[in-house]
């Protein structure tokens, strides 16, 4: 698994995820990256996606990557205009940003466990905090918030 993108695109994907949780499982598919998260109280659920067309290079292998998304976001925010190369290196994620200088972040992957009880979602929550699929947010990852 390997991809290259502008750091700001991945920050836009990680930002709403980090508002819900610090650690997340990112699903790598042929179509892009996906992440479903819920907060510790299980009252907020979010599903986030970034399409593969946002990447300069996209060489996916179907995988689930569990890592600290808050640490990754902080690293990327320090390199707002750089190009990120993201790959899996054994049991770690390797993120290399090329901008004025080259910076590397190695994050350990954590074991991924399936939840014992699957949560059945109810009707969507309407909120004035986020507008989905509006012209101003077309290029940003889609956010779906549902009531549990």
């Amino acid at each position: 698994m390997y991809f290259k993108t502008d750091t700001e695109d991945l920050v836009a994907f990680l930002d709403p995820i980090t508002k819900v949780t610090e650690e997340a499982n990112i699903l790598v598919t042929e179509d892009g990256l996906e992440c479903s998260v819920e907060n510790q109280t299980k009252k907020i659920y979010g599903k986030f996606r970034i399409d593969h067309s946002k990447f300069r290079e996209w060489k996916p292998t179907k995988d689930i990557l569990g890592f600290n998304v808050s640490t990754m976001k902080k690293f990327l925010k320090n390199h707002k205009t750089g190009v990120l190369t993201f790959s899996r290196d054994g049991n770690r994620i390797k993120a290399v940003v090329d901008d004025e200088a080259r910076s590397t972040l190695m994050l350990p992957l954590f074991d991924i466990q399936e939840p014992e009880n699957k949560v059945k979602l109810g009707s969507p929550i309407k909120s004035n905090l986020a507008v989905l699929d509006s012209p101003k947010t077309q290029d940003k990852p889609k956010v779906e918030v549902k009531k549990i």
Side-chain angles (χ1 to χ4, degrees), residues 44-106:
I44 298 174
Y45 174 84
K47 187 171 186 176
F48 309 93
R49 185 175 185 288
I50 184 169
D51 193 72
H52 75 281
S53 64
K54 292 297 261 176
F55 298 93
R56 294 177 178 205
E57 291 182 43
W58 180 251
K59 297 178 184 172
T61 55
K62 192 167 182 179
D63 202 354
I64 299 176
L65 308 171
F67 60 95
N68 188 310
V69 289
S70 291
T71 302
M72 178 67 74
K73 183 181 124 183
K74 287 175 190 172
F75 172 73
L76 295 175
K77 278 194 157 194
N78 290 329
H79 306 280
K80 291 183 180 184
T81 59
V83 175
L84 169 72
T85 303
F86 191 92
S87 61
R88 182 175 185 157
D89 184 8
N91 287 331
R92 299 180 300 174
I93 292 295
K94 182 177 182 180
V96 179
V97 175
D98 288 311
D99 53 5
E100 296 168 4
R102 178 175 263 208
S103 299
T104 302
L105 174 69
M106 300 293 282

Side-chain angles (χ1 to χ4, degrees), residues 1-131:
M1 187 240 11
Y2 166 89
F3 65 79
K4 212 177 234 193
T5 188
D6 295 321
T7 56
E8 62 227 15
D9 290 335
L10 199 59
V11 168
F13 172 67
L14 295 177
D15 189 51
I17 297 169
T18 59
K19 292 186 185 332
V20 178
T21 186
E22 287 190 8
E23 295 179 337
N25 296 333
I26 308 291
L27 176 64
V28 181
T29 68
E30 292 287 327
D31 297 326
L33 301 177
E34 297 177 13
C35 181
S36 297
V37 295
E38 64 184 4
N39 70 344
Q40 290 180 337
T41 61
K42 299 186 189 266
K43 292 187 179 195
I44 298 174
Y45 174 84
K47 187 171 186 176
F48 309 93
R49 185 175 185 288
I50 184 169
D51 193 72
H52 75 281
S53 64
K54 292 297 261 176
F55 298 93
R56 294 177 178 205
E57 291 182 43
W58 180 251
K59 297 178 184 172
T61 55
K62 192 167 182 179
D63 202 354
I64 299 176
L65 308 171
F67 60 95
N68 188 310
V69 289
S70 291
T71 302
M72 178 67 74
K73 183 181 124 183
K74 287 175 190 172
F75 172 73
L76 295 175
K77 278 194 157 194
N78 290 329
H79 306 280
K80 291 183 180 184
T81 59
V83 175
L84 169 72
T85 303
F86 191 92
S87 61
R88 182 175 185 157
D89 184 8
N91 287 331
R92 299 180 300 174
I93 292 295
K94 182 177 182 180
V96 179
V97 175
D98 288 311
D99 53 5
E100 296 168 4
R102 178 175 263 208
S103 299
T104 302
L105 174 69
M106 300 293 282
L107 280 177
L109 292 171
F110 52 81
D111 290 333
I112 298 166
Q113 299 175 3
E114 290 291 322
E116 290 180 23
N117 298 324
K118 299 282 184 182
V119 176
K120 187 172 182 175
L121 300 175
S123 60
I125 297 173
K126 293 183 180 180
S127 169
N128 61 0
L129 298 176
V131 179

